[in-house]
Amino acid sequence: HVCRCDDATVKVEALKVALKCYMKRYGFKAVTLGLSGGLDSAVVAAIAADAIGAENVHAYVLPSQFTSEESWQDAETLACNLGMKIQAIDIMPTVKVAFDSVSPHLPEDRSIALMAENLQARARGLLLMSLSNVDGSLVLTTGNKSECAVGYCTLYGDMAGGLALIGDIYKSELYKLCEDSDYLRRVIPKNILTKAPTAELRDNQKDEDSLPPYPQLDAVLKNMIERGFSLNKLKKRHGAELVARIWKLVKGAQFKREQAAQAVKLTTKPLSQVTNNAFF
């Protein structure tokens, strides 16, 4: 399904149709997803609930020690607005077992900070996939195009699943979609749209700790991916330092993109085509 219209209603309807068609094609009756209290999972949950009915969306809050009370409240408010039940599973016992298993083999001179963060994401992926094995549901990934383009995602963690519903939508476009769509604006709590994006994998973490602000990042990515600008042209337009930083991330994330769940195609240049482009 390809959508070349900027109208928010059309995009939302396209995503709903794509999800229903994908589920019908492969025999799924329900979907499973993790609710973080953030924008991405909120949009995916809202579209899924409207497309197939809230009773067919199995939503789980998967907190760690870094999950804030604000995230809990936002996830609960969203579920209430959608008429959807949510369940909570503490991921820390799973994380502890995994950490205790590998800790004897960790070199003392290496930082384990990244491993500790990714263990949380992978614990969530493990639990969601395990639950889907029991009820035969389709796990929806909740990553957006910006994150996947630069590798701000975890293999076998938040990338685990069968369909990337918003995988062809940049983060900044998600905010606009929520502003322009009557349905999304009505069901998604305002706080989700106004708070700073965070993966909550460590204390006080924000996406901008690792990435340029999304409006800057997405402007470069659009010119890089959709418009095919050369590196020189990108540097002249956006500045050499910013482009070099983003280019390094995009190049380094190719192996992740090659293993990502299929995304609903909304543009003429989804990331699956970026992966197959020799330019990258």
Side-chain angles (χ1 to χ4, degrees), residues 22 80 183:
Y22 189 92
C80 181
Y183 167 63

Side-chain angles (χ1 to χ4, degrees), residues 8-194:
T9 301
V10 174
K11 284 186 177 181
V12 170
E13 288 302 314
L15 290 170
K16 288 166 53 180
V17 169
L19 176 59
K20 288 189 286 189
C21 287
Y22 189 92
M23 292 178 66
K24 181 177 180 180
R25 178 181 299 174
Y26 297 109
F28 291 104
K29 304 298 183 183
V31 300
T32 291
L33 57 85
L35 276 185
S36 67
L39 177 65
D40 300 335
S41 62
V43 172
V44 172
I47 290 173
D50 201 32
I52 64 174
E55 69 278 8
N56 296 312
V57 180
H58 305 164
Y60 296 87
V61 178
L62 302 161
S64 75
Q65 66 193 80
F66 304 114
T67 301
S68 66
E69 183 65 28
E70 181 183 38
S71 294
W72 270 94
Q73 292 174 352
D74 288 339
E76 290 177 345
T77 301
L78 172 72
C80 181
N81 291 348
L82 295 175
M84 182 173 67
K85 294 181 180 179
I86 58 172
Q87 301 180 66
I89 304 175
D90 182 3
I91 68 167
M92 294 315 294
T94 304
V95 172
K96 184 178 185 304
V97 169
F99 183 82
D100 289 346
S101 297
V102 301
S103 59
H105 309 285
L106 299 176
E108 294 182 1
D109 60 341
R110 299 285 185 87
S111 171
I112 63 169
L114 180 61
M115 184 201 75
E117 292 184 18
N118 285 345
L119 270 180
Q120 297 169 63
R122 291 188 174 117
R124 292 184 173 110
L126 171 66
L127 294 171
L128 291 175
M129 293 302 296
S130 298
L131 290 163
S132 76
N133 287 159
V134 175
D135 59 27
S137 58
L138 169 67
V139 176
L140 297 178
T141 70
T142 58
N144 58 67
K145 193 171 187 176
S146 307
E147 295 172 344
C148 196
V150 297
Y152 193 64
C153 46
T154 303
L155 277 174
Y156 324 119
D158 54 321
M159 294 179 71
L163 182 67
L165 195 61
I166 58 171
D168 198 21
I169 307 178
Y170 293 104
K171 183 78 168 191
S172 54
E173 291 179 341
L174 278 177
Y175 284 103
K176 188 175 189 308
L177 187 66
C178 292
E179 291 172 2
D180 294 345
S181 165
D182 291 337
Y183 167 63
L184 294 179
R185 190 170 60 250
R186 174 167 50 85
V187 298
I188 294 181
K190 184 176 180 180
N191 192 56
I192 289 179
L193 297 172
T194 56

